[in-house]
Amino acid sequence: MATTRTGNTPVTFPTASGGTVASTVPVGAVHAPGSPLDRGASLVEGAVVLDDTVAPNAPWSAVVRRGHVLTIVDVGGNQSADCLLYDADDPEERYSVPDTLAWQGNAYVRTGTVLRSNEGRALMTVVANEIDRQDTIGGACGKESNTLRYGHHVMFQHGCRENFLAEAGRRGLGVRDLVSNLNWFMNVPVEADGALGIVDGMSAPGRRVAVRADRDVLVLVSNCPQMNNPCNDFNPTPLRMLVVDPAAVAGGTRSAAAAGTLGGTA
Amino acid sequence: MTTAERPAASAPHGRYPTERVPAHARDLHLTDSVRSARDDARAQGGQSGEWMPYLPASGSPYRPPGVDPAALVWAETVAPGGYTHKALARGTRLRFDDPTGDACAHLLLFNALEPVERLNVADTLKIPWQAYLGENHPLLSGDGRVLAVVSDDSSGRHDAFCGTSTDAWNERKYGDARPEGPAPSGRGLFLKAAAKHGLGRRDLPPGVSFFQGVRVGADGTLGWRGSAGPGTHVELVAEMPLLVLVANVAHPLDPRPDYVVGPLRVHAWRGAPTGPDEPRFTATPELHRAYLNTVDYCEARGL
C-alpha cells in the first residue's frame, strides 16, 4: 500500500485556538463524521469539581483529591483511555500493574479492583464499571514499539507513550516515570495457551467507569491515537473526564447530571 | 523501633535454616591489637559457603555443562532472600539454575548505557502475542528493542504478571519485610541493587520472575503452579549491554505460609548476540523488527 506523499500539498486542520491551519504534517486521524457520540454523566452523585473533554489523540492530566470520584466516559465507544496514576505528593509512588493484579489474584480490572502502587498501597478503587472487564496488561502504544508490531513505515504516527511523555513533562515527570498502564475500555483477553492481544472492544458510546481516589492522585491519560489495531475501533473519539465530590452532594451545589447537559456535542 | 523491640528471629524452618553465629564466637577470635585483629581477619579467608560469588568465575564449582571455564564472567550462588547485580556486555549468555526447585529469580533489565531504557513487561507480552515466557521469548524494552531473549528453558514455570513482592505485601503475609530480616521483599532488595548503580525508586518498573509459574484462568484468576522441581535452568542472551538486577525472594503468590525460597545459581559467559543468520532473528515478524532495531542501535553506538 503506497502511503508516501509525492507532493507537499497542505491539508487544512482545525487549530487549538479555534481557527484553521493548512499544514503538511501527517497528524493522526479522528473519528468519521456522523460517529455516534454520547457524553453521558457522572456515575456517582456529587458536586462537580472538573468536567473536561479530551480530544481524540490528545493527553490529559489532573489531580483527583482523596474521596473524589473520576468518571471516564467512553463518548464514542471502544476508545482506549491509556492511564497512569501517581501519588500527587510523592510521584515516585505510582501505579503498578503487577501489584494491582497480585493483590486481587486476577488479571482483569473490574468493579472493586484496588489500583495499587509500586509500594503495594491503594491509589484508587474502581467503584462502578459498565463493561465486562477493563485492561491493564496491554500497555501503551508508542512510536518505537509500533515499528515492531506493524513495520517501520508507522514510525511517524502518534502514540500513547508520546502523549505520556508530553503530559508528564508538564507535571515535572519524565521517561523514568512511565510504567505499564491501565487501558480503560480496551479488551485484551488471555487465552488458555497464553495467546494474548488487543481484540475488538466490549464498550459502546456512553459507557463509563468510575474510580475513587484513595489519596490525592495525579491521573495521566492518553486518548489513544493508535490506527493499526482495534483499541479505538480505528475511529479515535473524545473522552469525557468528570470529577465529583460525593461528600458535597447535599451542599446544594449543581449536580453532575445537570453538568452533563452543559457540554453539548463533542 | 529499637533492636530490643523487634520480633525475635524465628526458629529455623523448612530446608533453609538461617546462618547463625556460634554461641561463643567471642571465644574463637583473638583481636586485642591491630596485628592480632588483622591476623584473625585474614585467617577467615579461603572458606566456602553455601551461597557466595566464585572468583575468578572460571573456578565455579557449578560450571554449566559445555561452557568453557575461560569464557565465564560471572559465577555466583545467591542466598535465599539475597540479591545480586551485574553489568554485562552485549552477547553475554546468562544462565539461572534452580538446584532445589524453590528458587525464584526476580529480574529487572536495563540498557547499561542508558538505563532509562528498561524492561517493559507489557510490551514483552503484547508484542509476541504471548503471556507465558519460554524459549525465543524476547524481553523487550519500551523503546522497541530486545534487551535479552530466552535462549533455553527447562522449567517452563515463569511469571510476567505478578512482579515481585513489596514491603506492604510481605508485612501482611509474613508479618515482616525488613531487608535485613527473615522475609525481605523483592522491591526492598531491588532498591538496594539499583542504588548501587545510581538508580532509585523511579527506576524500578514491573519485572518478571523465573522458576515459579503462574497461569491465567478463563475468568482472569491468577493460578499458582509452583516450580517444575529441582534442577531446572533458564538461559538468556544479552542482546544489548545490560544492567541486570536479580532478587531471589518468595513469589508473591506462593501459597505456603512460610517464607520458602531456595538458593539461586547464576552464571554468565562471553558469547555473541543473536545474528541475522540464526533462525531466532527472523522467527516472527515482530522479533525480526525488534532485532533490526536492536542492531541499528548497537551499530550506531559502535558496539
Side-chain angles (χ1 to χ4, degrees):
Chain A
M1 182 176 68
T3 56
T4 307
R5 290 174 184 225
T6 52
N8 289 323
T9 307
V11 173
T12 300
F13 296 96
T15 62
S17 57
T20 61
V21 63
S23 166
T24 57
V25 175
V27 299
V30 297
H31 56 89
S35 296
L37 302 177
D38 179 350
R39 288 176 46 81
S42 175
L43 264 167
V44 172
E45 283 288 302
V48 174
V49 175
L50 189 69
D51 183 358
D52 283 350
T53 296
V54 189
N57 305 333
W60 174 90
S61 68
V63 173
V64 179
R65 297 294 170 193
R66 179 179 180 177
H68 291 190
V69 177
L70 167 66
T71 294
I72 307 176
V73 185
D74 185 4
V75 171
N78 293 314
Q79 172 60 57
S80 179
D82 291 44
C83 182
L84 285 169
L85 311 173
Y86 302 82
D87 182 310
D89 300 319
D90 175 18
E92 296 193 3
E93 181 168 2
R94 72 278 307 265
Y95 179 66
S96 167
V97 173
D99 288 285
T100 297
L101 300 187
W103 279 76
Q104 69 168 8
N106 196 287
Y108 302 125
V109 174
R110 301 182 176 94
T111 301
T113 295
V114 177
L115 306 173
R116 290 188 184 272
S117 75
N118 52 356
E119 315 277 345
R121 294 190 284 252
L123 291 168
M124 302 185 96
T125 300
V126 181
V127 292
N129 173 36
E130 296 185 327
I131 65 173
D132 286 355
R133 57 170 192 250
Q134 304 277 3
D135 171 69
T136 194
I137 52 183
C141 65
K143 279 164 61 84
E144 295 81 10
S145 65
N146 276 350
T147 70
L148 274 59
R149 302 165 75 190
Y150 309 110
H152 286 94
H153 62 288
V154 301
M155 175 60 98
F156 289 96
Q157 294 182 4
H158 191 35
C160 287
R161 200 157 185 263
E162 301 296 304
N163 270 341
F164 280 147
L165 284 171
E167 193 66 22
R170 295 172 189 132
R171 298 278 180 175
L173 303 174
V175 66
R176 295 163 68 195
D177 303 299
L178 300 192
V179 289
S180 297
N181 54 290
L182 290 146
N183 293 297
W184 304 113
F185 313 116
M186 196 168 96
N187 185 15
V188 182
V190 182
E191 297 177 355
D193 62 353
L196 167 159
I198 302 166
V199 302
D200 290 346
M202 301 182 290
S203 185
R207 296 284 182 92
R208 300 166 294 178
V209 65
V211 286
R212 181 194 66 226
D214 296 320
R215 66 178 96 168
D216 291 355
V217 173
L218 169 65
V219 181
L220 240 64
V221 163
S222 166
N223 193 344
C224 181
Q226 178 64 264
M227 282 303 289
N228 304 291
N229 73 49
C231 70
N232 50 20
D233 209 25
F234 302 92
N235 192 40
T237 44
L239 296 164
R240 185 179 179 194
M241 317 299 286
L242 267 161
V243 180
V244 301
D245 177 3
V249 68
T253 46
R254 70 193 177 117
S255 74
T261 64
L262 301 176
T265 53
Chain B
M1 182 188 283
T2 67
T3 303
E5 289 167 340
R6 286 180 176 169
S10 60
H13 61 261
R15 282 166 285 171
Y16 313 109
T18 52
E19 289 176 286
R20 285 170 182 282
V21 176
H24 304 291
R26 167 70 276 169
D27 300 340
L28 301 177
H29 300 275
L30 178 62
T31 51
D32 58 351
S33 70
V34 172
R35 181 177 297 270
S36 63
R38 185 188 68 189
D39 292 345
D40 179 78
R42 287 177 172 176
Q44 297 173 47
Q47 304 180 57
S48 62
E50 284 184 81
W51 20 84
M52 60 184 292
Y54 310 106
L55 279 74
S58 57
S60 170
Y62 304 105
R63 177 166 52 90
V67 174
D68 175 4
L72 282 169
V73 296
W74 187 8
E76 182 166 357
T77 300
V78 182
Y83 71 95
T84 188
H85 52 99
K86 193 80 81 181
L88 296 175
R90 181 176 188 234
T92 303
R93 309 287 153 145
L94 175 61
R95 174 169 159 144
F96 299 108
D97 278 86
D98 175 12
T100 65
D102 279 330
C104 193
H106 295 260
L107 181 69
L108 287 177
L109 299 176
F110 304 78
N111 171 352
L113 303 174
E114 298 180 85
V116 294
E117 179 175 10
R118 61 200 189 191
L119 180 65
N120 183 313
V121 171
D123 285 357
T124 291
L125 303 188
K126 174 175 64 181
I127 287 166
W129 303 88
Q130 175 52 246
Y132 305 133
L133 305 179
E135 194 170 337
N136 278 0
H137 201 121
L139 301 177
L140 296 168
S141 76
D143 296 278
R145 293 187 278 260
V146 187
L147 291 168
V149 69
V150 178
S151 53
D152 192 18
D153 173 22
S154 71
S155 164
R157 302 285 182 94
H158 313 303
D159 175 37
F161 285 90
C162 297
T164 194
S165 51
T166 57
D167 284 6
W169 182 268
N170 281 16
E171 282 161 8
R172 187 185 68 143
K173 186 172 180 182
Y174 305 109
D176 201 328
R178 294 169 297 152
E180 74 280 18
S185 74
R187 183 172 173 82
L189 300 182
F190 276 145
L191 280 167
K192 293 195 289 182
K196 292 175 181 178
H197 296 272
L199 305 178
R201 291 166 84 204
R202 300 167 74 190
D203 304 298
L204 300 179
V208 297
S209 67
F210 295 114
F211 300 123
Q212 305 294 333
V214 169
R215 287 290 182 272
V216 182
D219 64 350
T221 302
L222 297 172
W224 170 257
R225 293 187 73 205
S227 87
T232 66
H233 67 271
V234 173
E235 192 178 298
L236 308 178
V237 178
E239 304 287 14
M240 296 180 68
L242 289 189
L243 171 60
V244 178
L245 308 185
V246 179
N248 182 30
V249 298
H251 189 282
L253 293 193
D254 191 319
R256 292 172 285 192
D258 294 339
Y259 187 103
V260 181
V261 60
L264 172 72
R265 299 209 204 290
V266 182
H267 287 86
W269 58 97
R270 278 186 285 274
T274 300
D277 297 333
E278 295 181 61
R280 182 188 304 127
F281 198 90
T282 53
T284 67
E286 295 84 8
L287 195 51
H288 185 201
R289 290 190 290 261
Y291 273 122
L292 290 174
N293 286 350
T294 309
V295 169
D296 183 69
Y297 174 91
C298 291
E299 289 193 342
R301 284 207 66 133
L303 299 170

